[in-house]
Amino acid sequence: MISKNIEKALQQQIAVEGYSSAVYLSMASWMDAEGFEGSAAFFYKQSDEERMHMLKILHFINDNDGHAIVPAIEAPPKSFKDFHSCFKSVLDQEQKVTASIHELVNTALKERDHAAHNFLQWYVSEQMEEEKQVKSILNKLKIIGKDGSGLYLLDRELGEMAANAAGGEDATA
Ligand code: FEO
């Protein structure tokens, strides 16, 4: 059984993960419209992953005698200045998510809720991985600058990453 404070804090995290999913879906659609097919596949995949993060919390609340409520999700930006600024926004978003996960861990410790604390460790690791991934993409973008062929190759690499993560299935489908 989870405490009311933990349930409330996890409930807020459902909205945070839901917003991430919506932002990445919007980025996927924008990349698609701009002709960056690989990046579109990458963001469709990221959006699916964020939805999975949201669902994991929803199930955790319900599996521990709570009642998860599906929240209204704020509308994401419709378009992005350019490829580079899109990835800068991803890092900002992930850093916000990391901060809210760490805040949740603090709440679990304060409430002495070991089950929630244990559950949240997966999110702590996941955030480290996600921040590392986007920082590596931003580093590549720094090298590429405004070079079109570099951008083309990075777009292709992002598409391959999405395909590998999806076990070879078409992530844009
Ligand atoms: Fe689930 Fe990357 O936030």
Side-chain angles (χ1 to χ4, degrees), residues 17 20 24 49-50 53 94 97 123 126-127 130:
E17 303 289 349
S20 291
Y24 297 155
E49 279 188 18
E50 296 300 344
H53 296 175
E94 290 304 331
V97 175
Y123 286 85
E126 180 70 10
Q127 283 310 118
E130 289 193 340

Side-chain angles (χ1 to χ4, degrees), residues 9 13 97-110 120:
Q13 192 64 27
V97 175
T98 300
S100 68
I101 291 289
H102 290 180
E103 209 36 64
L104 259 169
V105 173
N106 288 339
T107 307
L109 286 172
K110 215 161 81 189
L120 288 165

Side-chain angles (χ1 to χ4, degrees), residues 68-158:
I69 308 296
V70 178
I73 306 290
E74 191 190 327
K78 290 185 200 133
S79 60
F80 304 89
K81 200 173 116 222
D82 53 27
F83 194 96
H84 294 59
S85 70
C86 199
F87 279 95
K88 274 188 202 128
S89 309
V90 175
L91 182 59
D92 287 347
Q93 176 62 19
E94 290 304 331
Q95 285 173 334
K96 279 184 203 152
V97 175
T98 300
S100 68
I101 291 289
H102 290 180
E103 209 36 64
L104 259 169
V105 173
N106 288 339
T107 307
L109 286 172
K110 215 161 81 189
E111 296 281 316
R112 295 172 182 260
D113 188 329
H114 298 291
H117 183 266
N118 181 54
F119 170 72
L120 288 165
Q121 294 315 299
W122 183 86
Y123 286 85
V124 172
S125 306
E126 180 70 10
Q127 283 310 118
M128 276 166 54
E129 282 304 311
E130 289 193 340
E131 284 197 28
K132 188 175 146 195
Q133 183 182 58
V134 69
K135 279 175 191 164
S136 148
I137 295 168
L138 282 169
N139 282 338
K140 286 178 185 167
L141 279 169
K142 224 185 275 172
I143 297 165
I144 290 168
K146 293 195 187 310
D147 176 56
S149 48
L151 216 49
Y152 174 80
L153 289 174
L154 179 61
D155 183 58
R156 215 164 66 174
E157 187 185 327
L158 290 169

